[in-house]
Amino acid sequence: MRTMHFIIIGDLIGRRVKAFVDCLKEMDIHNYQVISWLDVLQDISILEKNLKENTIIRIEPPEKDLEIYRLILGFSGEKGGVSSQEIENIDFSNYQIVAPAQWYEGFTLVLEAIDKILSQNNNIYCMNHFKEAIQMMDKSRTYEILEKEVSKYNYKLPVRYKTPDNYEGFVDMYGHKVFKCFIKLRYGSGGTGVIAYKNNPRLGDERIFTSLNYEIVDGNRIFYSNSKVNVYQDKTKIKELLDWVLHNGAHIEDWIPKPAYNGYFFDTRVFVLSQKVQYVISRLSKTPITNLHLKNRRVEDIDFISKDHLENIKLAAEDVMKVYHQSWYAGIDIISSRSGKPYVIDVNPFGDLFHHLLGTDKNIHYLEIKKAVDLIKWWNR
Amino acid sequence: MENMRFYCGYDDEKDVAEQIMEHLDANENCLAEGLMIGCWRDAWECAPSEIIDVIIQNKTKFPNLKSIYLGDMESEDCEISWICHTDTAALINELELESLTVKGATGLRFDAAKSENLKTLVIVSGGMSSKLLGDIARAELPNLEYLELYLGVEDYGFDGNITDVEPFMQKRNFPKLKYLGLKNSEIQDEICEKIIDSDIIDGLDVLDLSLGTLSDKGAKLILDHINKFSHLKKLDLTYNYISDELVEKLEKAFASLNVELLISRDDVYIDEDYEYRFPYITE
């Protein structure tokens, strides 16, 4: 068999590339190459030049390097309304979130271009399925795809609500009754741009929980996400934040009450690889937003979930991956209702980075690498 | 059987009253000593009147019932201040309960409550109305040993003042009280001041002034009248706005008295930009 070769496309400033490469080294695999998103975006032919037979490709999503963000925006060809000149001039020093829908469009085109290159080469194994990954990164599309198949499988979905264009429309639609929902940035990852909203008009009590915030810089509102979930009851703040998310594309779902454990609310991230659950972790938080990177607790020892409910959660996650059957892996976020029904609230195509497992034998990347290597060997048997 | 919990979850078809009836139909009696009543349907709009009625109308079918927790729910289900209640005196008057805990105080009343059996009463809230405080103050509960009131703040329903709280400091109203919690209050310093001069403190084992806005003002009063606290088994000042210096003095003073002092400030959030101080449960 010819030599096996890994290519990892990633963000050199982020943690993901290092996390994966560390596992390769630990497994005594030194035949790998890291290609920065910056290089790919400046000249996509770099990929073609480095492809060999028996290459395993792994895509890590862009993370911290905002120059990558700028280039991906540019890749969209201004489809989202931000011009090339404006993209060039964006000041990312304040970590603002700009035109997420346009970024998504750009990233879709980038992945399609990479996919085209890979399809023209033989004996290349890609750990990601681009088309499905792109679908998963669109929360509304994911919902529609899962909803279409929901009757066949064991997972449930929260009720979805119509999405108005702005806060005024939102109040017209939902302001007359007690209303609790999650307003999610359609093309946001993790907790970015997620607003947990509740309103009791009888008491005049409207409040939101979110890590999204804004500052006014040179007369313009700059929106950004920080690591702390804040509660806002100020009407102006609520309006501004909802307006921004609704304007940038939102997906609105019912608020499923999360179960509580020791004063924390939790949902569960299930990592599925090759159609089998490989890892389960519960994400505990005192706020309604539990995403891992928002400094919440994670608990592996999930004795506080009954066996029946845990089984339902695992079955639901595996069923989600039957719908996304071309994808090798994903992280599925599930809320188990008190009666044990598993509600899927997010599907993350890059949901295999568990920060607390880095540097440990349990790092899920070891399993991914082993299975990918076995697959290449099987191809070459 | 100790406790039984009835709860209407997000996707449960049957509401709590229906679940209780179904249980009684299936088992003839409910042998639980405690009933935990969790979220009922639309708790933010509907008071648990039907649940109370079902229990009262079937009281003979609860032969062992000693305690009820009405509103055992989390903010994910319903914010405390949103939970709707009604006059709940019947649970005290008609049943031989020893303990009643209620979470939420919006619409809650105990009109003409009277019981020889009730030993424990706890109201967990973001704000108790003066009408509700008046009901409890006037209630005939001669054997009450444990009273815990989360008084709360104006924004969430506390519309009274210190005179509404003073009746709970009078021994003649609650002669057997051993645990008094007048807590989670935005007038915690005033409560501290009044309780020092009250006659109820002498009979207490535990005084609970926790989770409120107790500041150096209250701390100094406690230090100046330390002999009034020396007989206590425990003084709970958890979650407070007392300065480091006075916390240290209080810790030293109470260590020498052999009184357990709880004075953690772990969950206190001080906003540098504002002078506001918030009790623990204000949502």
Side-chain angles (χ1 to χ4, degrees), chain B residues 3-36:
Chain B
N3 290 327
M4 244 194 114
R5 192 159 191 270
F6 292 95
Y7 181 94
C8 179
Y10 174 77
D11 43 22
D12 288 331
E13 286 175 9
K14 290 171 186 165
D15 205 354
V16 172
E18 196 180 349
Q19 290 177 34
I20 294 173
M21 276 313 297
E22 210 166 67
H23 178 78
L24 291 176
D25 288 345
N27 299 280
E28 198 167 330
N29 286 329
C30 175
L31 300 177
E33 289 181 11
L35 286 184
M36 314 283 283

Side-chain angles (χ1 to χ4, degrees), chain B residues 179-190:
Chain B
Y179 187 115
L180 177 59
L182 297 172
K183 60 199 289 187
N184 194 60
S185 174
E186 61 186 354
I187 56 165
Q188 205 71 59
D189 283 331
E190 284 181 76

Side-chain angles (χ1 to χ4, degrees), chain A residues 57-60 126-130 133 326 328-329 349-350:
Chain A
I57 302 268
R58 178 176 169 87
I59 300 282
E60 295 287 8
C126 186
M127 293 172 78
N128 317 87
H129 189 276
F130 296 150
Q326 297 180 95
W328 201 41
Y329 63 83
F350 304 107

Side-chain angles (χ1 to χ4, degrees), chain B residues 23-281:
Chain B
H23 178 78
L24 291 176
D25 288 345
N27 299 280
E28 198 167 330
N29 286 329
C30 175
L31 300 177
E33 289 181 11
L35 286 184
M36 314 283 283
I37 308 294
C39 195
W40 49 90
R41 184 157 293 141
D42 298 339
W44 46 81
E45 276 168 355
C46 301
S49 311
E50 204 184 339
I51 299 168
I52 294 170
D53 289 348
V54 161
I55 295 170
I56 300 300
Q57 283 161 14
N58 294 280
K59 62 183 179 183
T60 56
K61 295 180 179 176
F62 294 93
N64 303 326
L65 190 60
K66 296 275 188 287
S67 73
I68 290 181
Y69 187 155
L70 183 64
D72 177 22
M73 61 185 93
E74 304 287 346
S75 60
E76 282 276 314
D77 303 307
C78 187
E79 296 289 345
I80 293 180
S81 63
W82 293 16
I83 305 171
C84 288
H85 282 283
T86 183
D87 191 335
T88 304
L91 291 182
I92 293 175
N93 297 355
E94 300 286 330
L95 305 170
E96 294 182 358
L97 291 183
E98 291 180 6
S99 172
L100 176 63
T101 298
V102 180
K103 187 184 271 188
T106 302
L108 184 65
R109 297 293 302 267
F110 289 107
D111 188 29
K114 185 177 180 180
S115 168
E116 297 277 330
N117 298 295
L118 198 73
K119 292 179 180 171
T120 297
L121 179 62
V122 180
I123 312 294
V124 183
S125 86
M128 295 177 66
S129 70
S130 53
K131 284 181 181 169
L132 172 60
L133 289 168
D135 286 347
I136 300 170
R138 286 187 297 275
E140 291 179 43
L141 305 170
N143 293 311
L144 198 71
E145 295 173 3
Y146 188 110
L147 178 63
E148 202 178 347
L149 303 176
Y150 287 64
L151 298 164
V153 297
E154 191 180 350
D155 283 351
Y156 292 104
F158 177 71
D159 58 1
N161 57 45
I162 190 66
T163 56
D164 297 297
V165 186
E166 280 180 300
F168 304 106
M169 304 176 189
Q170 292 163 9
K171 195 172 177 67
R172 67 171 186 274
N173 292 338
F174 304 100
K176 292 194 177 170
L177 215 57
K178 293 291 175 194
Y179 187 115
L180 177 59
L182 297 172
K183 60 199 289 187
N184 194 60
S185 174
E186 61 186 354
I187 56 165
Q188 205 71 59
D189 283 331
E190 284 181 76
I191 291 168
C192 183
E193 185 178 0
K194 289 292 178 189
I195 209 156
I196 287 168
D197 290 332
S198 74
D199 63 356
I200 201 141
I201 193 169
D202 299 335
L204 297 178
D205 288 338
V206 180
L207 177 61
D208 179 356
L209 303 176
S210 67
L211 309 183
T213 56
L214 196 73
S215 70
D216 280 1
K217 185 181 172 192
K220 280 178 193 157
L221 286 166
I222 294 170
L223 284 165
D224 290 346
H225 299 85
I226 193 97
N227 58 320
K228 293 288 287 183
F229 300 85
S230 60
H231 67 286
L232 292 174
K233 288 179 182 164
K234 189 194 287 184
L235 174 63
D236 192 346
L237 306 180
T238 304
Y239 185 101
N240 59 69
Y241 291 85
I242 303 170
S243 64
D244 290 347
E245 185 192 351
L246 287 184
V247 165
E248 201 175 314
K249 282 186 182 174
L250 283 165
E251 283 173 336
K252 274 187 188 167
F254 280 94
S256 65
L257 289 175
N258 208 21
V259 175
E260 184 183 0
L261 175 70
L262 303 179
I263 199 163
S264 156
R265 291 169 293 172
D266 286 350
D267 290 317
V268 177
Y269 173 69
I270 296 174
D271 192 326
E272 303 288 339
D273 300 329
Y274 300 98
E275 284 187 14
Y276 300 129
R277 291 175 173 176
F278 303 99
Y280 183 67
I281 299 179

Side-chain angles (χ1 to χ4, degrees), chain A residues 178 180 198 200 202 205 207 233 254-256 258 265 337-339 341 343, chain B residues 5 7 10-12 44-45 74-79 81-82 84 156 283:
Chain A
V178 169
K180 294 172 68 181
K198 52 172 81 172
N200 186 331
R202 186 172 56 82
D205 188 359
R207 61 183 88 178
Q233 289 175 285
D254 207 5
W255 182 322
I256 310 286
K258 285 182 272 299
F265 306 113
S337 72
R338 307 276 173 127
S339 60
K341 294 192 177 75
Y343 288 86
Chain B
R5 192 159 191 270
Y7 181 94
Y10 174 77
D11 43 22
D12 288 331
W44 46 81
E45 276 168 355
E74 304 287 346
S75 60
E76 282 276 314
D77 303 307
C78 187
E79 296 289 345
S81 63
W82 293 16
C84 288
Y156 292 104
E283 301 169 6

Side-chain angles (χ1 to χ4, degrees), chain A residues 93-363:
Chain A
S93 62
N94 45 27
Y95 298 100
Q96 60 175 313
I97 312 169
V98 180
Q102 187 165 343
W103 182 91
Y104 176 82
E105 180 68 30
F107 195 59
T108 302
L109 294 173
V110 175
L111 289 194
E112 282 173 0
I114 295 173
D115 202 23
K116 192 174 174 190
I117 292 170
L118 300 187
S119 64
Q120 288 162 354
N121 289 270
N122 292 325
N123 279 9
I124 306 290
Y125 176 67
C126 186
M127 293 172 78
N128 317 87
H129 189 276
F130 296 150
K131 191 178 165 201
E132 288 192 349
I134 280 295
Q135 286 174 355
M136 291 178 202
M137 291 171 76
D138 174 347
K139 293 183 197 302
S140 295
R141 185 91 184 97
T142 301
Y143 188 96
E144 284 155 12
I145 288 166
L146 292 178
E147 190 183 33
K148 208 173 162 188
E149 306 283 322
V150 72
S151 61
K152 292 186 201 165
Y153 294 115
N154 292 292
Y155 60 78
K156 304 280 177 194
L157 293 168
V159 172
R160 180 186 181 184
Y161 296 109
K162 281 185 182 168
T163 305
D165 295 333
N166 53 34
Y167 177 73
E168 205 173 283
F170 184 87
V171 171
D172 282 347
M173 280 184 187
Y174 309 115
H176 61 286
K177 58 182 179 180
V178 169
F179 192 63
K180 294 172 68 181
C181 67
F182 271 75
I183 304 161
K184 301 175 178 179
L185 193 58
R186 179 172 174 176
Y187 307 109
S189 66
T192 304
V194 173
I195 297 176
Y197 175 93
K198 52 172 81 172
N199 180 33
N200 186 331
R202 186 172 56 82
L203 301 172
D205 188 359
E206 183 183 37
R207 61 183 88 178
I208 59 171
F209 305 76
T210 185
S211 62
L212 187 68
N213 204 345
Y214 66 83
E215 282 175 12
I216 296 175
V217 179
D218 298 331
N220 297 313
R221 283 185 180 77
I222 303 298
F223 289 81
Y224 60 93
S225 190
N226 62 26
S227 60
K228 187 170 177 285
V229 174
N230 287 307
V231 188
Y232 299 110
Q233 289 175 285
D234 176 74
K235 298 280 181 194
T236 307
K237 193 95 178 183
I238 291 172
K239 179 187 180 308
E240 293 291 349
L241 293 174
L242 258 70
D243 269 345
W244 187 83
V245 175
L246 294 170
H247 174 73
N248 281 285
H251 173 75
I252 306 178
E253 288 178 355
D254 207 5
W255 182 322
I256 310 286
K258 285 182 272 299
Y261 170 69
N262 273 354
Y264 287 82
F265 306 113
F266 67 91
D267 57 19
T268 305
R269 161 67 62 93
V270 186
F271 177 69
V272 182
L273 175 73
S274 295
Q275 307 279 318
K276 293 280 172 208
V277 170
Q278 302 292 348
Y279 188 65
V280 180
I281 192 164
S282 282
R283 315 182 303 176
L284 280 66
S285 173
K286 293 207 167 186
T287 79
I289 297 173
T290 56
N291 296 67
L292 292 185
H293 71 279
L294 296 173
K295 295 183 178 171
N296 290 321
R297 287 179 59 200
R298 315 114 219 226
V299 178
E300 266 181 20
D301 181 8
I302 43 179
D303 289 346
F304 49 86
I305 304 177
S306 75
K307 277 187 181 171
D308 289 355
H309 290 196
L310 186 57
E311 197 53 35
N312 290 345
I313 289 170
K314 288 178 175 177
L315 277 174
E318 288 182 350
D319 279 357
V320 166
M321 294 310 283
K322 284 176 190 158
V323 176
Y324 285 111
H325 59 93
Q326 297 180 95
S327 293
W328 201 41
Y329 63 83
I332 324 292
D333 297 337
I334 290 175
I335 296 174
S336 177
S337 72
R338 307 276 173 127
S339 60
K341 294 192 177 75
Y343 288 86
V344 176
I345 55 166
D346 200 15
V347 181
N348 187 336
F350 304 107
D352 60 345
L353 180 68
F354 297 95
H355 293 279
H356 60 291
L357 297 184
L358 299 181
T360 73
D361 295 344
K362 290 166 78 176
N363 192 332

